[in-house]
Amino acid sequence: MAINELLKEKDIDINDIILDPNNPRFSKHFDEVTPEKKFEDEDVQEDAYKRMTDPKNNFEIDVLMEAIKADGFIPVDKIFVRKINKKYLTIEGNRRITAIKKLLRNHINHVKNCELDEALLKQITKPPCVLLEAKGR
């Protein structure tokens, strides 16, 4: 099977993209992993978001946000996702997806100096992703 049969590019609504609660950046022990059936739970996603945006973890989400605000979202490095239930799990690109989600939260909540122009909003509300499709699943 050719690799291009497993990889499909698709613009996906940011609200349908979820963060990986078992992101290796979180350094969980093997016995502390979140089961896949809970990935879409709001509290699981909020916990992953908080871990990604916590300045103590040094993931530099705010730096990435400022770069996106200044230059737009430049998809040089692809965001890889896979479909689970009704959402798309971020396999590669959790920092970028977190930065986009935080930009949008700040914009919607009218955080000072966080207004986004229409062109950037259009760009980040449906980021280009590579959908990993496992045949036979």
Side-chain angles (χ1 to χ4, degrees), residues 107-126:
H107 177 79
I108 290 167
N109 293 318
H110 305 287
V111 174
K112 187 177 178 182
N113 298 321
C114 292
E115 301 81 21
L116 304 175
D117 64 40
E118 287 301 315
L120 183 56
L121 279 171
K122 184 177 179 186
Q123 195 181 32
I124 65 175
T125 54
K126 280 195 154 200

Side-chain angles (χ1 to χ4, degrees), residues 22-35:
N22 295 327
N23 187 328
R25 293 179 188 272
F26 298 155
S27 301
K28 284 187 170 185
H29 295 289
F30 183 71
D31 60 342
E32 294 177 1
V33 297
T34 301

Side-chain angles (χ1 to χ4, degrees), residues 67-68 70-79 96 120 123-124 128:
I68 293 170
D71 303 324
F73 182 73
I74 304 169
V76 174
D77 293 323
K78 300 287 186 186
I79 294 171
R96 286 168 280 156
L120 183 56
Q123 195 181 32
I124 65 175

